[in-house]
Amino acid sequence: MGDIEAVNLDQTTIIDSGSCIQADSHHPHLIIFSGNNSGRRHRLRRGTMTIGRSPQADISINDDRVSRIHCTIEWAGDAIAIEDKGSTNGTFVDSGRVSRAILSPGVPFQLGHSIMKIEYKTEAEIRQEESLLYSATFDTLTGIFNRHHFFKLASMELSYASRHQLPVGIILADIDDFKSINDTHGHPWGDFVLSRFANIVVENKRAEDLVARYGGDEFVIFPRGAVSREILHDYCERIRTAVEKFKFNFDSAPSGITVSIGFHLKKIVPQDPETMVADLIRHADQALYLAKANGRNRTEWFV
């Protein structure tokens, strides 16, 4: 690999041997553009930073194929280097496995499922990019993933499950009689219910699971890791029960809501990931329809 490329640092002022750089200068950032943490930006500091799955890592990555302390990034002088720390699945720079390498700006490197690169950005550029990223990734009302980003992440998960022929599951949850909330109490109350419902789902999911607003009052969950019919059923019932117990104060009159839930479990065979996601959701939606038809406030599964 060639030496690190020259970078325009016209506005950079280095103080105390490079330990502090003006906020409007171009500063190296680690940009993650593929994987569960896609879109995250981490400002590098001079010296050595650890990267890994561990919460104690300087840069923590939610990726089950990344080791707890996978590698280090060292910024010394004008060069930024990456060094593998005995990771299980290796560190790859520009598609080649390395033990240590100099990172040129823009050259991709990969840890597990996560692909990233070093870019020099001003703080203003980072703030603008993060604002655009948030709009493209999250549902503005509930703060959870939007449908488009969910499909992107779920497709990557299914690619892995397909290669290893692992079972996967999809859960769809729909608030019962949600239209009557808007009609009776107004849309501001309806928005509050959606936001609080999303919080209940997040509070009752595992940290590694994906959850998104699928559309309107319908939410989708992708449980990661080991799944079975019993595990998914218990998962759904935990959410359903938590929603049923929660009371809203509509115009000072305590009232509750219920939710109908459908799920589908399948052992994945190799095929297009987006097609797999669509098929799983279609079958989970059929189970959800059955839950509605059988009286609402219940969990059903698609055989």
Side-chain angles (χ1 to χ4, degrees):
M1 183 181 301
D3 294 335
I4 190 167
E5 298 171 7
V7 179
N8 181 5
L9 297 177
D10 291 342
Q11 299 182 61
T12 300
T13 299
I14 299 177
I15 303 172
D16 294 335
S17 300
S19 62
C20 181
I21 297 181
Q22 287 182 346
D24 62 348
S25 67
H26 287 80
H27 191 98
H29 289 75
L30 185 149
I31 314 292
I32 303 174
F33 60 91
S34 178
N36 290 336
N37 300 112
S38 177
R40 290 193 180 176
R41 284 130 167 84
H42 298 274
R43 181 182 172 93
L44 299 185
R45 63 171 184 264
R46 286 194 176 273
T48 301
M49 299 178 70
T50 56
I51 305 178
R53 196 177 71 252
S54 170
Q56 280 70 51
D58 294 315
I59 299 175
S60 184
I61 297 177
N62 178 21
D63 186 327
D64 56 13
R65 290 183 60 80
V66 168
S67 296
R68 291 185 62 80
I69 299 297
H70 194 103
C71 65
T72 59
I73 293 282
E74 181 185 10
W75 179 16
D78 293 329
I80 297 175
I82 188 168
E83 182 174 334
D84 188 84
K85 304 306 288 185
S87 66
T88 301
N89 296 305
T91 297
F92 295 80
V93 177
D94 207 11
S95 300
R97 187 164 184 166
V98 302
S99 57
R100 182 178 173 85
I102 298 296
L103 295 174
S104 297
V107 171
F109 59 98
Q110 182 170 359
L111 319 177
H113 295 302
S114 304
I115 303 175
M116 53 201 80
K117 58 186 175 181
I118 301 297
E119 289 188 354
Y120 284 76
K121 303 279 188 179
T122 67
E123 289 303 308
E125 288 172 335
I126 289 295
R127 286 194 297 271
Q128 182 181 32
E129 290 177 3
E130 288 179 344
S131 177
L132 292 172
L133 173 68
Y134 187 90
S135 299
T137 303
F138 296 98
D139 175 64
T140 54
L141 175 63
T142 61
I144 60 177
F145 291 139
N146 59 31
R147 176 174 175 164
H148 172 76
H149 195 66
F150 175 85
F151 263 84
K152 177 182 175 181
L153 296 181
S155 294
M156 289 190 290
E157 293 291 334
L158 287 174
S159 293
Y160 178 80
S162 175
R163 286 195 301 273
H164 298 276
Q165 297 188 7
L166 300 174
V168 295
I170 287 283
I171 298 169
L172 277 179
D174 186 270
I175 299 173
D176 295 326
D177 295 319
F178 180 72
K179 184 176 182 298
S180 67
I181 296 173
N182 281 330
D183 292 344
T184 304
H185 303 286
H187 288 278
W189 265 114
D191 288 347
F192 175 75
V193 169
L194 288 172
S195 179
R196 191 64 190 90
F197 174 76
N199 288 344
I200 294 172
V201 173
V202 169
E203 289 164 2
N204 286 277
K205 78 176 185 70
R206 300 170 301 188
E208 67 270 24
D209 297 337
L210 307 177
V211 59
R213 185 180 179 190
Y214 191 66
D217 58 321
E218 196 168 51
F219 294 74
V220 61
I221 305 166
F222 187 109
R224 302 178 72 235
V227 292
S228 66
R229 177 184 172 185
E230 292 74 20
I231 288 173
L232 289 180
H233 184 270
D234 290 346
Y235 194 131
C236 295
E237 282 296 288
R238 184 168 67 250
I239 292 172
R240 187 194 63 78
T241 302
V243 172
E244 186 177 31
K245 289 180 178 179
F246 189 86
K247 299 302 179 185
F248 296 88
N249 290 312
F250 297 122
D251 300 323
S252 300
S255 180
I257 63 169
T258 60
V259 61
S260 297
I261 305 177
F263 72 90
H264 179 52
L265 176 70
K266 183 178 182 180
K267 186 173 182 179
I268 294 299
V269 296
Q271 67 181 106
D272 174 64
E274 290 191 6
T275 301
M276 288 190 284
V277 176
D279 285 346
L280 282 167
I281 289 178
R282 177 167 54 84
H283 292 316
D285 192 49
Q286 289 176 283
L288 176 59
Y289 177 83
L290 185 61
K292 296 285 189 182
N294 286 340
R296 300 187 176 92
N297 191 27
R298 59 186 295 120
T299 296
E300 296 284 357
W301 77 296
F302 180 86
V303 181

